[in-house]
Amino acid sequence: MPSFLGRVLIIAGSDSGGGAGIQADIKAVTMLGGYAATAITAITVQNTLGVHGVHPLPLDLIEAQARAVLDDIGADAIKTGMLGSTAVVERVAAILDSSGAPAVVDPVMIAKGGHPLLADDAVAAVRSLMIPRAALLTPNAPEAEALTGIAVADLDGQRRAGEALLAMGARAVLMKGGHVPGETVVDLLLTPTGETLLEGERFDTRNTHGTGCTLASACAAGVAQGLPLEVAVANAWAYVAEAIRRAPGLGGGHGPLDHGWPLRRDA
């Protein structure tokens, strides 16, 4: 039986600055009442000013971490983030197949500061191996464009790209709108049975480091807890919006969110 906590295995890279990657994932899952376990794919040398180094971990070590978690603790959902290479994508796809847990796939390609986090030749592997295994795919506009070849410059583009990703095998797609121009931010959740629009204030802030990681992991927490997908996504979306609004302004570049804001609200 699933844990009441909602067990989430996160397969992603580590961010030494704590704003994105595994660190943001753990914070988001924990704050939304889930239990976070991890399989780290790479160690990044990173702060708010950018990514200064990426050191991939061996394939067997990545898989060993995931197997250790799945064989003992188990998982009610798996969230994938930075994978980096075709070989890692292939290994993670095999892990997803053997686990049976629904996967929230964040197709991480480029860091906030512009550093590539996915090899060019691995995009095709994400397209062919990760998208068909996604219970929920969470691309931003540039990622959706790279995966589909469809321009995403407005809501219509979000819808067309999202529909293309559904046709490629994803069971649901959350088309993020942070990169799409407009006075508000519109995210679009598409499923084979319809769509849900999430629209909110666009904050004038530099503190958006880790928003994609945080949102995907927050969604995974809800999925792991057995919430209907629309509810899980709406809860995650509201959590991230408030985390951006309350961002503490750390560092000199793209600062992190306030992942722990519910603690101060409840106190």
Side-chain angles (χ1 to χ4, degrees):
M1 294 294 292
S3 165
F4 75 97
L5 284 172
R7 302 160 298 176
V8 181
L9 169 60
I10 302 152
I11 305 177
S14 170
D15 172 7
S16 56
I22 286 285
Q23 287 81 354
D25 297 327
I26 293 172
K27 294 171 191 176
V29 169
T30 302
M31 291 313 304
L32 288 175
Y35 180 84
T38 64
I40 297 174
T41 59
I43 306 295
T44 70
V45 180
Q46 187 172 172
N47 54 24
T48 70
L49 299 174
V51 177
H52 309 289
V54 176
H55 302 271
L57 295 187
L59 289 174
D60 288 346
L61 179 55
I62 296 170
E63 181 169 2
Q65 294 174 83
R67 298 294 180 195
V69 171
L70 292 170
D71 291 347
D72 177 33
I73 297 168
D76 302 305
I78 296 178
K79 182 263 182 176
T80 69
M82 175 189 172
L83 301 181
S85 70
T86 296
V88 175
V89 171
E90 292 171 346
R91 190 68 67 97
V92 171
I95 292 168
L96 295 181
D97 286 346
S98 65
S99 75
V104 176
V105 175
D106 184 12
V108 176
M109 295 183 182
I110 298 175
K112 185 68 68 179
H115 192 285
L117 299 178
L118 183 70
D120 289 343
D121 62 4
V123 174
V126 170
R127 190 182 294 119
S128 63
L129 296 176
M130 297 305 293
I131 292 177
R133 289 169 171 81
L136 176 65
L137 185 73
T138 65
N140 60 30
E143 290 161 351
E145 289 179 350
L147 291 169
T148 66
I150 296 171
V152 181
D154 54 22
L155 182 58
D156 181 62
Q158 287 176 264
R159 182 173 290 111
R160 289 188 295 108
E163 290 171 347
L165 292 166
L166 287 177
M168 292 163 64
R171 295 191 290 284
V173 180
L174 179 60
M175 288 292 305
K176 297 179 294 189
H179 291 79
V180 177
E183 294 183 0
T184 61
V185 174
V186 179
D187 288 3
L188 185 64
L189 174 64
L190 297 106
T191 71
T193 59
E195 65 179 46
T196 302
L197 207 66
L198 299 134
E199 184 173 7
E201 176 184 358
R202 184 181 294 274
F203 300 108
D204 182 14
T205 177
R206 64 178 177 85
N207 301 309
T208 56
H209 182 55
T211 51
C213 303
T214 301
L215 181 60
S217 286
C219 290
V223 170
Q225 291 162 345
L227 297 177
L229 183 61
E230 291 80 3
V231 175
V233 170
N235 287 351
W237 196 87
Y239 166 75
V240 172
E242 188 66 10
I244 295 172
R245 192 182 74 80
R246 294 178 180 238
L250 301 178
H254 296 289
L257 317 183
D258 180 4
H259 292 90
W261 68 263
L263 293 174
R264 284 174 286 284
R265 175 202 61 188
D266 295 342

